[in-house]
């Protein structure tokens, strides 16, 4: 169920080895206007990107969002860009960009502490 209800009404682009964990990209870009783009080897753990970009716009770089629930509900209504090698600790970027109008950029190798 890693991609259950992915891009149900929105759009999604997944690179190689992305969204490989249990429920990792479930419900991402589920609603109208949701836009979800994931780089190689990102969103790889349990619920790591679940519900991301539900109505928002999320771009995730390579090898990012690799812990449990790291990017859960990321950019739910806002715009979030995550660089390469970022958001690797459990729940490190959960709920970032959850509100309408948010415009957030997380650089490379950021939000990696436990």
């Amino acid at each position: 169920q890693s991609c259950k209800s992915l891009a149900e009404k929105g759009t999604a682009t997944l690179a190689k080895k992305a969204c490989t964990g249990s429920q990792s990209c479930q419900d991402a870009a589920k609603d109208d206007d949701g836009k979800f783009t994931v780089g190689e080897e990102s969103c790889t753990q349990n619920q790591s990107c679940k519900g991301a970009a539900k109505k928002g716009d999320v771009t995730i770089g390579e090898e990012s969002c690799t812990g449990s629930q790291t990017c859960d509900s990321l950019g739910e209504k806002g715009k979030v860009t995550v660089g390469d090698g970022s958001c690797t600790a459990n729940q490190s970027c959960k709920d970032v960009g959850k509100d309408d109008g948010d415009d957030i950029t997380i650089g490379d190798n950021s939000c990696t502490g436990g």
Side-chain angles (χ1 to χ4, degrees), residues 14-53:
L14 309 178
K16 292 188 294 184
K17 298 181 183 178
C19 299
T20 55
S22 175
Q23 299 177 348
S24 56
C25 294
Q26 182 176 332
D27 296 332
K30 185 177 180 179
D31 295 336
D32 292 337
D33 301 323
K35 185 178 177 186
F36 186 57
T37 305
V38 183
E40 288 187 29
E41 297 183 42
S42 292
C43 303
T44 56
Q45 297 298 317
N46 181 47
Q47 298 179 354
S48 52
C49 297
K50 184 178 179 181

Side-chain angles (χ1 to χ4, degrees), residues 15-97:
K16 292 188 294 184
K17 298 181 183 178
C19 299
T20 55
S22 175
Q23 299 177 348
S24 56
C25 294
Q26 182 176 332
D27 296 332
K30 185 177 180 179
D31 295 336
D32 292 337
D33 301 323
K35 185 178 177 186
F36 186 57
T37 305
V38 183
E40 288 187 29
E41 297 183 42
S42 292
C43 303
T44 56
Q45 297 298 317
N46 181 47
Q47 298 179 354
S48 52
C49 297
K50 184 178 179 181
K54 222 173 216 182
K55 292 183 180 182
D57 183 349
V58 171
T59 301
I60 298 171
E62 296 181 1
E63 297 179 16
S64 295
C65 302
T66 55
S68 180
Q69 297 181 337
T70 48
C71 296
D72 186 5
S73 299
L74 180 78
E76 189 174 305
K77 294 179 184 173
K79 180 179 180 180
V80 180
T81 302
V82 176
D84 296 340
S86 296
C87 303
T88 57
N90 292 348
Q91 298 185 356
S92 57
C93 297
K94 184 177 181 178
D95 296 331
V96 171

